[in-house]
Amino acid sequence: MGKKWWMESIGYQIYPKSFYDSNDDGIGDLNGIYEKLDYLKDLGINLIWICPFYDSPMDDNGYDVRNFFDVSKEFGTMDDAKKLIDKAHQLGIKVILDFVLNHTSDEHPWFIESRSSVDNPYRDYYIWHEGRQQDGQKIEPTNWGSFFGGSCWKYDELTDSYYMKIFSDKMPDLNWKNEKVHEEMIQIAKKWLDQGIDGFRIDAVSHLDRAPYEDVKGSTDRYPLDWNKFSNLPKVHDYLNKLNQEVFSKYDCVTIGEVGGEASIDEGIKYASFDSNELSMVFNFDHNWCNNLHEVTSTKQLKTNVVLLKSVFNKWQKAFKDIGWLPLNWLNHDQPRLMSQYGDHLYPLASGKMLATALHMMRGTPFIYQGEEIGMTNFPFEDVSQFNDISSIHAYRYHLEKEPDDPVKALKKAALSSRDNPRTPMQWSNESYAGFSKEQPWMMVNPNYKKINVVNNLKNQDALWYHYQRLIDLRKNSTYKDLIIYGEYELLDPDDKNLYTYKRFNHQQTLLIINSFSRKKIKYDLSKYDILNKIVSNYQKHTIKNQTIYLKPYESIVFEVKEKL
């Protein structure tokens, strides 16, 4: 295994619209990120992933790209982007950008040309179909559903045909069977890498191929969502192999694909094993939903399935042990806030630190999502009008169709998994609008900002922020650096419903990581080990008697140990 700079990185994901507003228009921007780079440097991270800031009509907050070679006016200019990249590099921070391969905006010049006539040179840049007849009416080519609800086909009157869009109506899918699309994307990647960025997080990378256009069978839904129709299909690997050969392999860059929660281990290995010649790593979402979220209406009712969570982490850790590398993250801009999903509102500090330790001591490259380091939580939605995210609005309508007499329940269920939760403005201080802006932000600020914010965290050495800083420092600067980054991982006690325990070891050292997911006090047997050192803990004191540790609620502790013979 060749060691790469990105294996030794600690990442931080930035959603620019919500990070920091430098010009007081209510919208976060590139200069806002620029102004906060010193804050990120103090935290210790050395890699930032910035969500899209390309020119966009913002139907999906920037993932609907109108021009890959320009910056959306809300975020600044290309000069601002260059200035940000330069300062980040001066501080020792690498920069990766989102690269959207599956679709563009319907306002992109390619699509404007594509829809103008059936014989336009750009027609085949997108997926068009004339539709089919049913009872004398023209209908969609298939009954496939979209991720954002409704059909994945959109009728276009201009040429009396349908285009495919597996996300929103304003995000037509590119046709990757067309080699001209490959060449366009190769040029986009090269241009940004030549601007000095250090790689890409590749959005929706698993969706570049399509199954034969045949209806989904056996569903009562009008437009059933079947991932198998456009996820992790064989041709995706051919396309990525070409991108790697033509671009990625020619730069010292990192590429991280988003393959969602439907990619198998075997597919993950195809994408990102050391010899796959496709991507450096892949994000999967298997660990994001290991609770009863779909059965409840309140975060206070959530219960983590610890056994399932451990098994998910373990299967990916084991599969990539010798043949590849993994990113580590609890959430991103599409999932509920960590503290609301897996934390405990009665023990926010202890559970927050425990969750941080559990993730950051594993093998892989950790990513922190903005606000995670201060314990930000889901937004307390009270009305559907508060949703900004189009998929959340579709989710509300879906739940309302199921139970039309209970709109409150529909709202609560949609709110639990809403993508708006992680997108609320970053909570910098207890000043108005959480110090994010001096004007009304584009999205509502979580009302708990007066308690949960950066300033309050930095004032208290026992705060969550300093725990993250300590974990980062262990990975970057401690005598355990090589072990934490490159050492072996072994899951312990797989069937324990309360504890997530594992070992990290190499030829010189062994670490025992103990994480309690319980409000109860729990005993753990240490008789197999000689305790050499306490590395990090979320409580100042711990209780060990007769070779047993008595764990407090959500206690998390890392020991250097020697195993007894």
Side-chain angles (χ1 to χ4, degrees):
M1 177 188 75
K3 295 181 179 180
K4 304 286 188 179
W5 63 262
W6 38 266
M7 296 176 180
E8 301 188 6
S9 296
I10 298 93
Y12 189 97
Q13 184 191 350
I14 294 174
Y15 197 73
K17 201 171 183 179
S18 299
F19 191 59
Y20 185 63
D21 174 17
S22 71
N23 61 354
D24 295 321
D25 63 356
I27 299 172
D29 45 52
L30 295 182
N31 282 331
I33 301 172
Y34 176 89
E35 290 183 23
K36 294 297 185 181
L37 284 174
D38 289 314
Y39 163 81
L40 297 174
K41 174 72 173 177
D42 290 343
L43 181 61
I45 62 93
N46 53 15
L47 169 66
I48 53 174
W49 152 25
I50 309 176
C51 288
F53 53 74
Y54 313 107
D55 176 41
S56 167
M58 295 291 163
D59 184 59
D60 189 24
N61 288 310
Y63 283 89
D64 48 320
V65 180
R66 183 164 48 201
N67 183 350
F68 285 98
F69 298 126
D70 200 4
V71 173
S72 198
K73 64 183 185 299
E74 298 98 321
F75 296 142
T77 66
M78 282 296 289
D79 285 341
D80 295 331
K82 292 172 186 175
K83 183 176 74 170
L84 165 58
I85 294 165
D86 288 345
K87 182 178 179 181
H89 286 165
Q90 289 166 17
L91 294 173
I93 298 173
K94 305 275 192 181
V95 181
I96 65 173
L97 305 184
D98 253 305
F99 191 16
V100 186
L101 297 183
N102 178 73
H103 51 265
T104 68
S105 166
D106 65 347
E107 297 181 27
H108 194 289
W110 300 342
F111 189 72
I112 292 171
E113 290 290 324
S114 181
R115 71 185 290 257
S116 65
S117 69
V118 295
D119 56 0
N120 187 280
Y122 285 91
R123 182 68 170 183
D124 201 35
Y125 272 46
Y126 296 86
I127 302 172
W128 290 95
H129 199 290
E130 62 185 12
R132 54 184 172 164
Q133 294 291 319
Q134 185 179 81
D135 300 328
Q137 299 281 328
K138 176 175 275 200
I139 65 167
E140 298 92 350
T142 68
N143 68 346
W144 300 358
S146 156
F147 286 115
F148 288 176
S151 172
C152 80
W153 296 97
K154 176 70 175 175
Y155 178 70
D156 190 63
E157 288 185 2
L158 205 58
T159 55
D160 188 31
S161 50
Y162 294 85
Y163 64 86
M164 184 177 282
K165 45 91 204 177
I166 61 174
F167 293 100
S168 91
D169 290 355
K170 287 182 64 62
M171 294 157 69
D173 294 346
L174 287 163
N175 176 21
W176 276 80
K177 290 180 179 177
N178 183 350
E179 292 198 3
K180 290 181 180 178
V181 171
H182 305 179
E183 294 306 314
E184 298 277 13
M185 288 305 183
I186 285 168
Q187 293 309 311
I188 291 166
K190 283 182 176 178
K191 179 159 184 176
W192 278 103
L193 288 165
D194 289 340
Q195 291 283 356
I197 69 159
D198 302 289
F200 299 102
R201 178 267 190 182
I202 304 179
D203 180 67
V205 73
S206 58
H207 303 319
L208 305 184
D209 192 12
R210 299 291 180 270
Y213 298 147
E214 299 169 353
D215 278 354
V216 176
K217 307 293 186 185
S219 174
T220 58
D221 291 340
R222 182 180 179 186
Y223 299 115
L225 176 58
D226 181 353
W227 290 56
N228 295 314
K229 298 298 185 184
F230 36 69
S231 297
N232 301 303
L233 294 168
K235 287 283 186 185
V236 174
H237 299 289
D238 295 338
Y239 305 146
L240 290 177
N241 199 280
K242 183 173 181 179
L243 281 169
N244 181 283
Q245 182 178 344
E246 297 290 326
V247 189
F248 305 150
S249 64
K250 299 183 185 302
Y251 295 81
D252 184 21
C253 68
V254 64
T255 52
I256 315 174
E258 177 201 25
V259 299
E262 296 290 328
S264 66
I265 290 287
D266 289 342
E267 284 297 321
I269 290 170
K270 288 179 188 176
Y271 284 115
S273 61
F274 292 135
D275 60 0
S276 71
N277 297 315
E278 294 184 25
L279 301 170
S280 310
M281 299 182 267
V282 287
F283 281 116
N284 76 86
F285 303 150
D286 294 2
H287 63 281
N288 289 117
W289 312 103
C290 295
N291 59 16
N292 58 336
L293 179 134
H294 299 295
E295 302 162 17
V296 300
T297 56
S298 165
T299 55
K300 293 181 180 180
Q301 298 170 311
L302 291 174
K303 288 183 171 54
T304 302
N305 185 333
V306 180
V307 173
L308 176 60
L309 182 67
K310 292 187 292 188
S311 70
V312 167
F313 279 135
N314 187 55
K315 74 176 183 179
W316 285 91
Q317 288 280 322
K318 283 179 65 178
F320 279 76
K321 173 184 171 185
D322 299 314
I323 63 170
W325 200 255
L326 294 170
L328 305 169
N329 75 322
W330 275 119
L331 75 151
N332 65 20
H333 60 286
D334 285 335
Q335 281 101 30
R337 281 281 176 186
L338 172 60
M339 289 307 303
S340 298
Q341 184 77 330
Y342 290 136
D344 189 324
H345 69 283
L346 294 183
Y347 296 90
L349 187 59
S351 63
K353 289 181 178 181
M354 179 276 293
L355 290 165
T357 300
L359 189 87
H360 282 248
M361 296 305 296
M362 282 192 267
R363 178 181 181 271
T365 299
F367 280 82
I368 299 163
Y369 181 74
Q370 66 183 45
E372 179 186 333
E373 76 277 18
I374 59 169
M376 285 179 63
T377 64
N378 284 359
F379 186 87
F381 293 99
E382 295 179 347
D383 191 271
V384 68
S385 64
Q386 294 175 312
F387 286 139
N388 176 275
D389 171 48
I390 50 178
S391 69
S392 301
I393 296 167
H394 282 303
Y396 169 76
R397 291 171 180 163
Y398 172 81
H399 292 303
L400 194 59
E401 283 180 15
K402 297 289 185 184
E403 298 184 67
D405 296 330
D406 200 343
V408 173
K409 185 176 180 180
L411 174 69
K412 287 180 176 180
K413 290 189 76 67
L416 275 178
S417 58
S418 171
R419 300 194 308 173
D420 284 321
N421 287 307
R423 301 177 185 188
T424 56
M426 178 74 174
Q427 292 162 211
W428 293 102
S429 72
N430 60 8
E431 297 174 0
S432 58
Y433 307 126
F436 164 77
S437 177
K438 291 177 182 172
E439 297 297 327
Q440 178 72 47
W442 70 280
M443 190 176 183
M444 286 165 298
V445 176
N446 194 311
N448 64 14
Y449 74 89
K450 292 192 175 181
K451 181 179 179 182
I452 300 173
N453 59 63
V454 170
V455 170
N456 283 358
N457 265 255
L458 295 181
K459 284 179 181 176
N460 178 6
Q461 288 291 322
D462 191 43
L464 182 60
W465 191 93
Y466 288 103
H467 191 75
Y468 272 89
Q469 187 189 53
R470 170 70 173 140
L471 291 169
I472 293 168
D473 187 63
L474 279 172
R475 185 173 279 263
K476 286 173 63 179
N477 303 312
S478 76
T479 56
Y480 305 102
K481 172 183 173 179
D482 283 348
L483 168 56
I484 296 171
I485 296 172
Y486 297 112
E488 300 279 331
Y489 167 96
E490 181 184 338
L491 177 65
L492 306 172
D493 316 297
D495 298 322
D496 193 301
K497 296 179 180 179
N498 297 303
L499 300 181
Y500 179 18
T501 53
Y502 59 92
K503 286 190 304 186
R504 299 296 311 284
F505 57 94
N506 57 23
H507 294 303
Q508 290 81 37
Q509 300 163 313
T510 299
L511 298 183
L512 174 66
I513 298 94
I514 305 170
N515 303 290
S516 172
F517 276 76
S518 177
R519 292 176 180 175
K520 299 176 182 178
K521 294 180 180 179
I522 294 177
K523 296 187 294 184
Y524 187 73
D525 181 14
L526 294 174
S527 61
K528 297 178 183 177
Y529 310 99
D530 288 323
I531 307 297
L532 304 181
N533 193 13
K534 183 179 79 170
I535 311 303
V536 64
S537 175
N538 60 349
Y539 283 91
Q540 291 185 352
K541 297 180 180 179
H542 54 271
T543 305
I544 298 177
K545 294 179 182 177
N546 300 322
Q547 298 183 314
T548 298
I549 185 168
Y550 293 80
L551 298 164
K552 303 174 187 69
Y554 297 99
E555 184 161 3
S556 176
I557 192 162
V558 179
F559 290 119
E560 181 183 4
V561 299
K562 183 177 180 181
E563 297 190 60
K564 295 178 180 177
L565 298 177

